[in-house]
Structure formats: structure tokens, C-alpha cells
Amino acid sequence: MLKSEGDRLKRVVVSTPQNAYFDVATHEAANIPQLADPAATIRQHDRLKDTMTSFGADVVDVPELAGHPNSVFPRDVALCTPAGHIRLRMGLEVRRGEEDWISRELEAMGEPQIGEITAPGTVEGGDVILADDVAFVGLSGRTNAEGARQLSSMLSKMGYEVRTTVVGEDYLHLGGALSMIGPGMVICCRGAVPSDYLAGFEITEVKPVGLSPGNVICLGDGELIANSAENARAVEALE
């Protein structure tokens, strides 16, 4: 498993949207503001998988969890570390139950569970970025102080320096404002975190426009995936 999201991506778990994601009966409760076009969504997701595969990543596509539209976002449900995965506890209540599902899938791949976030703590993976020897953790509407405390204790024992900050209301998760783009390198939205939060890192700054302007996928060796439709400013800054 990667110690840092700035390293080369070797294996990644995804869940292609299928029945649950397009279920009219559940999408509002699942905090999905509008239903996506199924054909376009699957086509775009397949393109993402093909791109990661073409750069050498082993893409593991696990079936979505019935009745859980948000299970197509598996990053949120578990944090993978060099020692194994930490089972998280979802801040969005309708996502509870996904934790057992993703842990079973990861253990079947040989990735053991080494810890878990317990009530009343909540942590969603979008609020955690492993960056070399630093773990960035965001306090948000999905990750609370008790969850961050539990996670910080586990990560500190692994040798990470844990840095915690409050995520602004403009972002659902810390990952919407901040991403690794290489060893010692990050992209970050202007004003999203305190000035000293990223000390020691080379910063590419991007103007905060849209829901997740700082969100990109690092493939390694200077190769990145960015959503050009929504993150045009990030693409421009990175180029």
C-alpha cells in the first residue's frame, strides 16, 4: 500500500455506478442532488478506469452495495495505509453499513483491517490525505473532532505527523481543496487552509471556483488526472 498519495498509483479500488446510484427512491436521502444520466455516467467512469489502467494501476472494480448510492465513492469508507486499512465511520448517516462492505472487500484482497473509528467519532476518507510523512486531516460536516482524535492516534503510531484543520463551508471534504501531485508537492485552493498547514511542501495554488477545484488524482511520475470540465483552473495552474 502507498505511504503517500504522491507516489505512483499501483492499485486502486473503484465501484462502477449501477442500480443503486441511479435509484430515484434513494438519491435525495443519500445527499445526491440530482440523478445523473446512466449512460454518460458509466461511460465517464469507464474512461477513468481505462486511464488509470493505461498508466499501470491495477484497478479493482467492486460491485456497489445494494441500497447505498454513495457506495460508488469507496475512498470515503476506509483509509488504506502501508500496514493495512482503517475502517472509518461515515458522517452521513445513510452511508452507515458501507463500512462492513468495504472491509470485507479489502480483506478479500489481502488488505487487513488494522483499526476502526468508533462512535461517536466519524471520519470520511475524503477528509484524509497521506502526504509523505504527513497526514492531512480535515474537520468537516462529515469528520468530527472525536473521529479525528482516534485517527490521529493510529496514524501517529505509524510515524505520520498529523496536521488537522477545519474545512471551510465551500468544500464537502478537505480533498476538494487539497491534493497531492507528487512527492513533497500539493495543489491547494487559495485561502483554503492556514498558511503554515502546508509547511515543507511545494504548493501549486488554484483559484477556488466550483465544488472541488483542488481535487485531482496523482498517478505518479508527474502524471495526473483532472476533470477538465470542472477543474479548468487547476489544469491551467498545473500545466
Side-chain angles (χ1 to χ4, degrees), residues 35-113:
L35 286 174
D37 175 76
T41 300
I42 294 171
R43 183 171 62 250
Q44 291 167 4
H45 199 268
D46 286 345
R47 183 182 178 193
L48 174 64
K49 291 184 293 185
D50 290 344
T51 301
M52 292 189 290
T53 299
S54 70
F55 280 88
D58 176 17
V59 178
V60 183
D61 197 346
V62 301
E64 62 180 7
L65 181 62
H68 286 264
N70 283 298
S71 62
V72 300
F73 307 115
R75 175 190 172 98
D76 287 326
V77 196
L79 177 66
C80 291
T81 79
H85 77 274
I86 297 172
R87 186 196 305 215
L88 305 179
R89 182 170 181 267
M90 297 295 90
L92 186 63
E93 190 169 350
V94 295
R95 296 197 69 178
R96 305 274 168 80
E98 293 179 33
E99 299 93 339
D100 290 340
W101 160 75
I102 201 64
S103 281
R104 288 195 302 270
E105 296 287 353
L106 290 170
E107 287 175 347
M109 298 173 206
E111 307 291 358
Q113 179 182 320

Side-chain angles (χ1 to χ4, degrees), residues 131-149:
D132 303 334
D133 293 323
V134 173
F136 295 115
V137 178
L139 298 173
S140 70
R142 304 292 183 86
T143 296
N144 65 20
E146 172 58 18
R149 183 196 66 78

Side-chain angles (χ1 to χ4, degrees), residues 189-211:
C189 295
R190 186 180 309 136
V193 299
S195 58
D196 60 346
Y197 191 66
L198 301 176
F201 288 84
E202 179 182 332
I203 304 167
T204 295
E205 191 173 79
V206 62
K207 185 177 180 180
V209 177
L211 295 176

Side-chain angles (χ1 to χ4, degrees), residues 156-174:
S156 294
K157 292 175 182 176
M158 296 181 198
Y160 287 100
E161 174 199 342
V162 181
R163 301 182 188 178
T164 304
T165 191
V166 174
V167 178
E169 294 181 357
D170 292 337
Y171 309 101
L172 176 63
H173 289 125
L174 179 64

